[in-house]
Amino acid sequence: MFVVEVVVRVLCVGAVVVGAVLWGSGGAVAGGGGPVPEADVAYHGQVAMTRGLAAVSLTPENHGPDDVPGATVRLSWSVPLEDAMRLPDSCVRAGERGVLCRTGALPAAGRGGRLDLAVRLRGEPREVTVTVGTVWNGGAVDRNPRNNEHTVLVLDTGDSYYF
């Protein structure tokens, strides 16, 4: 028995690309006929906040079974970020409340490089929620997405909150 998943991607130029992925006992097969890699991307780290400055340190992992050429992690905050801030070279601003960061290559059963960043939050909130999650995982199928999606409540105490 095969399950068909239709994938719709909207490209920057406005075109829509539709493809299909077939899952069965032989693994995933792309609409183009080749096998689709399978990887279990996960993030583990900590976040702390003091007077509106939130510091995040996270390490991406790939539990396999296949390598991932790279992934993109999104950090979304429950309050807006300050307009002017310096981000690591691997990160870009994503709207009023978010940051996107590339992980680099993630070998199967291995870790990527640690990502450290700090963001300034508007209004120096007493508490904030940060959501960490995968936006892109190199095109791999991830059958366990629960370990790459985290929501963390962070109080303005300077204490570290782990995910």
Side-chain angles (χ1 to χ4, degrees), residues 43-125:
Y43 304 101
H44 303 286
Q46 63 187 32
V47 59
M49 182 172 64
T50 303
R51 290 188 297 274
L53 182 65
V56 178
S57 177
L58 69 85
T59 302
E61 295 183 28
N62 176 8
H63 299 292
D66 296 315
D67 294 341
V68 172
T72 303
V73 61
R74 178 192 319 258
L75 296 118
S76 298
W77 305 88
S78 60
V79 299
L81 305 174
E82 286 289 339
D83 290 330
M85 73 176 79
R86 184 169 171 84
L87 295 171
D89 290 341
S90 62
C91 299
V92 296
R93 186 76 180 260
E96 185 179 55
R97 298 173 187 230
V99 175
L100 298 173
C101 300
R102 68 179 182 267
T103 65
L106 299 174
R111 292 182 175 184
R114 190 169 96 181
L115 173 67
D116 295 305
L117 73 115
V119 297
R120 172 89 35 210
L121 304 167
R122 277 193 210 153
E124 295 186 18

Side-chain angles (χ1 to χ4, degrees), residues 46-50 53-56 76-78 121 125-132 151-163:
Q46 63 187 32
V47 59
M49 182 172 64
T50 303
L53 182 65
V56 178
S76 298
W77 305 88
S78 60
L121 304 167
R126 294 176 50 140
E127 66 180 43
V128 67
T129 302
V130 61
T131 302
V132 179
T151 301
V152 183
L153 175 65
V154 183
L155 303 178
D156 188 9
T157 61
D159 294 327
S160 292
Y161 297 87
Y162 295 88
F163 56 91

